[in-house]
Amino acid sequence: MHVTVRKYPNKGGLIDRIVPPVRDRLVPLLRGAPGFKGYCAFASEDGHLVSVSVFDDRQSAVRANEQARGWVVSNLGVLLPDLPEVLAGEVLLHEVSRPKGGGAEMFATIRVYEGVGPEEEVLPWVREHVFLTITGAPGFRGYYALLDERDPSRGMSASLFDTREHAME
């Protein structure tokens, strides 16, 4: 599985203008792409616009990201004229839970770690300490961990919960 996280700095205030066209036109485009697993977009609490896409493999993700980039330039280029900051890589560890009720709304927490050691050192520690705690927490919906394919000393985790309160626990 391959995850791509895009951050548009200081664009979180545009979320209400961006959601309708993304929901109605970009998401269906992505859903039709081979290898599509999931997509979410949100305004971070520190004011950024963030999107996360999940595909079966890197090749599928790259093809879909090229399509999405063209769509964003054509449809949102005035609002998002600058390229986003991108972190992407093969998923090292993941778990997804089916919602037990409620809608598709979720609370996402993205964490980026600098100076991460090699995969063979980091993965066992994450699996033993972090993964079990997060996946067993109330409101858990999903977790992905990866190393950035451009800089393997950067790690990233995306945790999904049904509410902010559950995520903060």
Side-chain angles (χ1 to χ4, degrees), residues 96-136:
V96 177
S97 172
R98 294 219 182 262
K100 294 170 181 59
E105 295 81 23
M106 289 185 274
F107 187 86
T109 302
I110 306 291
R111 291 184 174 89
V112 177
Y113 306 93
E114 303 291 339
V116 174
E119 176 183 338
E120 59 274 5
E121 291 176 15
V122 174
L123 192 55
W125 187 89
V126 171
R127 184 178 284 123
E128 185 177 327
H129 298 285
V130 178
F131 187 68
L132 295 176
T133 301
I134 288 176
T135 58

Side-chain angles (χ1 to χ4, degrees), residues 60-130:
S60 298
V62 168
R63 276 196 306 260
N65 287 336
E66 287 170 5
Q67 271 189 304
R69 185 177 18 249
W71 186 92
V72 168
V73 167
S74 296
N75 295 277
L76 301 174
V78 172
L79 298 173
L80 303 172
D82 300 320
L83 291 175
E85 297 173 20
V86 178
L87 191 145
E90 291 298 317
V91 172
L92 302 174
L93 197 58
H94 84 282
E95 182 68 36
V96 177
S97 172
R98 294 219 182 262
K100 294 170 181 59
E105 295 81 23
M106 289 185 274
F107 187 86
T109 302
I110 306 291
R111 291 184 174 89
V112 177
Y113 306 93
E114 303 291 339
V116 174
E119 176 183 338
E120 59 274 5
E121 291 176 15
V122 174
L123 192 55
W125 187 89
V126 171
R127 184 178 284 123
E128 185 177 327
H129 298 285
V130 178

